[in-house]
Structures are given as C-alpha cells and as structure tokens.
Amino acid sequence: MSSDQDHVPAEQVAKAVRALLAYERRREASARGEKGELFDSSTPVSLTIGLKTVPVRKISKPHKISLAHPLYAESEQGACLIVKDEIKADTKAFLEKHGVKGITKVISLDKLRKNYKEYEAKRKLSQSYDLFLADNRVLPLLPKLLGKHFFLKKKHPVPVEMRKGDIKRSIESALRCTYLHVSGQTIAVKVGNSAMDEQNLAENVVAALGDIGDAVPGKWPAIQSLHLKTAESAALPLYNSLPDGAKAHVPEERVEGKPKGGKGAKSPKSPGVNIVHEKPKKRKPKAIV
C-alpha cells in the first residue's frame, strides 16, 4: 500500500477540508437566511480521482477503502442486507443478539423478487439506504433482480460472508469502509459529510488516500489528479501529476471555482488551496550500441 504522504501531505488535506467545510456552512446559512448558525443538514463529501486514461474494462466489484471514522455504521439511513430466503429470520436474530449496529433492513431474495419488480420500486429501494450488503452466495443473482439503476447510482451490493467464520466481523468490517467503483476515467469516493468536524474528515481523507493507490487500475502512476468536493462546491485540488517535460505552475484555487480578479471573481475572503504537483522523473538517455 502506497503512503498517502508520498503524494499528498496531510497539511494540504487539512487546508482543503477547512476551506470546503467553511464554504458549506456559509452556503447552508445563506440558503436558510440564518447567517452565522451551524447547519444541521449533512452533505456528502467526495474524493474525486482523475485517471490519465480510460480503464480498459469496467470492474463491477467495489474496492474497500478504509476510513478512520466510519460513515455507515451510524448513518441515519443505515444499510440494507440481502440474504437467502431460509436464513432471513436467523440473520435478524443474529444481528440483535450480537449487537450489530448499522443494519436497518434485512431483505430476502423472495421479497426482492415479489416487492421490487417495477423500476420505480427498485429506484425507491436504492434511495432508501446508504449502503447495500449481500450474502456472497446470492451476489451473482442481484444484477438482474436490482436492475441497472442500482449500478448506475454506485449502489453495488457489497459481499459479506454469512455462512462461516466470524460473521459479525465480516458485516462490521463492511460497514466501516467506503467503496471505490471503477466505471470510467473519473471516480468519486465518499469520504465523509459536511456535518463532520475538520479533524475527523481530514483523517478520513488521509486514510482513503492510503488505499486508493492500490485500488485503481494502474495504481498511483495512473492517477492524474485528486480533488475534494461536495455536490454544490467547486472541486478543491489536492494533487496533480504533470506530464513529462511540463513546468509546475501552482495557481490558487477557490471554493467558488472563480479566478482571482476579472469578471465573475468572488470575494478574496474565501479560503484558497494550492495544488500539489508531482514533478516528472528525469529519464536517463538510452545507450546507443
């Protein structure tokens, strides 16, 4: 596993997190007309990964990305666990007996077939839970039963072991991670939300950076850029890999996404974050024989 410090310093992450949360708090306060108050809503924060080339093939299985502070174990919507028909009752009893938190719904395959045939029902189901887990024995049946909407919305069910070994640990491990889905040249990984404090969110970003290098096709050399953003903010740059021979130019990016000065420029009070560039390595000339 590559060290995140080799590519993005923790100080850079802290600056980006501070700027992003400050922007989200101002935006929420302005939207409600209650300037200066802390907001009680929660907006997802994502780490976006830009690859240098489009992956040759899509990878349907989500990659686990470790986090310092879990997102799903104590989320409001919680997770939905899909299991075989014959173990649904036993699974619910197991979760209650062992105090497994974070699973708010257990659905059997039979119920999935009967109650979620229509597209609208499947769409509502995908929006009802933050995360979907599935007994690894039923995983091959789910693409057809859940439909394309689930996978377009990156709600791929995460496989868990429900037959042997430490079942509790398997479920809790799945709830403690976030997930990376390789589906194109740009990948978004949820690393937190705007209700988190600066330190916890920054620690989640740093932890995620330690895993993404091994998760993306081609590993770190294939990564062109890294940004931190919410759905409403501009993308705050964390890292940019320059092409061979390019000169590093480090501009100041602002949360609002507007350049300094000129038409459409925003207030200079908004916090800025500098890009971390990776300098191209010098290549030794090949010997002529």
Side-chain angles (χ1 to χ4, degrees):
M1 182 174 68
S2 299
S3 170
D4 52 282
Q5 290 291 327
D6 294 341
H7 303 279
V8 185
E11 295 79 7
Q12 178 75 11
V13 172
K15 287 180 182 178
V17 166
R18 189 178 306 116
L20 191 64
L21 291 183
Y23 168 77
E24 281 298 320
R25 291 188 171 110
R26 289 198 305 272
R27 185 185 65 80
E28 281 288 329
S30 177
R32 292 181 324 187
E34 298 175 1
K35 189 174 181 180
E37 285 189 20
L38 290 176
F39 57 88
D40 21 354
S41 61
S42 175
T43 303
V45 175
S46 296
L47 179 65
T48 60
I49 306 160
L51 301 179
K52 293 178 180 177
T53 59
V54 179
V56 177
R57 62 186 180 88
K58 291 184 179 180
I59 302 173
S60 58
K61 184 180 179 180
H63 291 272
K64 279 186 176 183
I65 303 295
S66 301
L67 293 177
H69 306 280
L71 301 180
Y72 303 113
E74 299 178 1
S75 67
E76 292 182 6
Q77 289 185 310
C80 175
L81 175 59
I82 304 170
V83 298
K84 296 182 72 174
D85 302 335
E86 58 268 28
I87 69 166
K88 179 181 176 181
D90 290 341
T91 299
K92 295 176 78 171
F94 176 89
L95 296 175
E96 185 176 352
K97 178 181 177 181
H98 294 275
V100 179
K101 297 180 179 179
I103 303 294
T104 53
K105 182 74 173 178
V106 179
I107 296 181
S108 66
L109 282 179
D110 184 58
K111 186 172 182 180
L112 199 59
R113 290 190 185 99
K114 291 179 179 178
N115 295 5
Y116 300 95
K117 289 182 180 180
E118 303 300 325
Y119 171 82
E120 185 61 21
K122 292 175 182 178
R123 187 186 67 81
K124 287 182 178 179
L125 177 63
S126 71
Q127 294 176 340
S128 299
Y129 304 96
D130 290 327
L131 181 69
F132 287 84
L133 308 179
D135 183 336
N136 54 17
R137 293 170 292 178
V138 307
L139 204 65
L141 304 173
L142 297 182
K144 184 177 180 180
L145 291 175
L146 295 175
K148 293 181 180 179
H149 185 80
F150 260 77
F151 298 90
L152 290 173
K153 292 298 181 180
K154 306 295 187 296
K155 289 293 184 79
H156 306 56
V158 176
V160 291
E161 177 57 63
M162 298 294 295
R163 180 173 48 179
K164 58 184 179 180
D166 193 336
I167 297 173
K168 179 183 179 183
R169 184 177 180 181
S170 177
I171 295 172
E172 289 180 337
S173 174
L175 292 171
R176 283 197 298 268
C177 294
T178 191
Y179 295 89
L180 182 151
H181 303 272
V182 179
S183 58
Q185 197 167 356
T186 302
I187 302 167
V189 180
K190 185 177 177 181
V191 292
N193 59 65
S194 56
M196 297 176 72
D197 63 42
E198 287 182 16
Q199 182 176 344
N200 287 355
L201 181 54
E203 288 173 356
N204 270 9
V205 175
V206 170
L209 287 171
D211 279 351
I212 61 170
D214 290 330
V216 300
K219 303 187 182 297
W220 268 102
I223 297 176
Q224 176 65 52
S225 62
L226 295 169
H227 293 82
L228 198 65
K229 72 184 299 293
T230 67
E232 300 295 332
S233 77
L236 285 173
L238 293 177
Y239 166 87
N240 189 33
S241 176
L242 294 174
D244 290 345
K247 294 182 179 180
H249 171 62
V250 185
E252 185 176 274
E253 292 285 341
R254 301 194 175 278
V255 176
E256 287 80 1
K258 299 293 184 181
K260 218 175 182 182
K263 188 177 180 180
K266 293 291 181 179
S267 168
K269 292 182 180 180
S270 59
V273 179
N274 291 329
I275 302 175
V276 174
H277 290 278
E278 183 177 85
K279 295 181 180 179
K281 296 179 181 179
K282 294 182 179 179
R283 296 180 179 179
K284 294 181 179 179
K286 294 182 178 180
I288 301 174
V289 181

